[in-house]
Amino acid sequence: MQKYDDTKNKNGMKIIFMVAQMMVLLVVYIFVYTSFKAVQYSIEKFDTSPVMYFPVLVAMVIFPVLLYKYRQMFNTGKMLIASVWMMATASLTIVLLYVYIVQVTG
């Protein structure tokens, strides 16, 4: 009789989670790039301060750090919580960048 071993499933889920993180990072960085371009437009058109880049830079730096923390959480066995937090943080980052850009260019 062979004993069931779940390590292959766990390793597969780690790979799937890592690919999902890369896709989420790509989507968020598309919004970050768009935000950089919108701030650049705002600086040229409305003569605003280059300090307006700061929130976009913060989002660009903080988000990968959070993804790393969520991968650590996933590896400790909290798979569902890590997935939910990853998607929630990505959604919040995108919405906050959008709201910021609307205020900067509006």
Side-chain angles (χ1 to χ4, degrees), residues 57-93:
L57 285 172
V58 168
M60 187 176 78
V61 171
I62 295 286
F63 192 71
V65 173
L66 291 174
L67 286 181
Y68 176 72
K69 294 292 183 183
Y70 300 147
R71 185 177 302 157
Q72 286 179 336
M73 188 186 303
F74 188 88
N75 290 337
T76 59
K78 300 176 183 175
M79 297 176 182
L80 182 62
I81 295 172
S83 301
V84 169
W85 272 103
M86 175 184 68
M87 295 309 293
T89 308
S91 301
L92 182 66
T93 303

Side-chain angles (χ1 to χ4, degrees), residues 28 31 88-102:
V28 169
F31 280 91
T89 308
S91 301
L92 182 66
T93 303
I94 290 169
V95 167
L96 289 178
L97 282 172
Y98 179 73
V99 168
Y100 178 69
I101 291 308
V102 166

Side-chain angles (χ1 to χ4, degrees), residues 3 6 14 24-26 28 38 42 46 48 54 70 80 84:
K3 198 172 193 182
D6 201 30
K14 286 181 184 180
V24 166
L25 183 65
L26 179 68
V28 169
S42 174
F46 304 118
T48 57
F54 183 71
Y70 300 147
L80 182 62
V84 169

Side-chain angles (χ1 to χ4, degrees), residues 21-51:
Q21 277 192 324
M22 285 187 252
M23 290 174 56
V24 166
L25 183 65
L26 179 68
V27 169
V28 169
Y29 270 11
I30 288 171
F31 280 91
V32 168
Y33 176 74
T34 306
S35 300
F36 269 121
K37 286 300 188 180
V39 170
Q40 181 183 9
Y41 171 76
S42 174
I43 289 173
E44 291 172 359
K45 178 103 176 174
F46 304 118
D47 198 34
T48 57
S49 172
V51 176

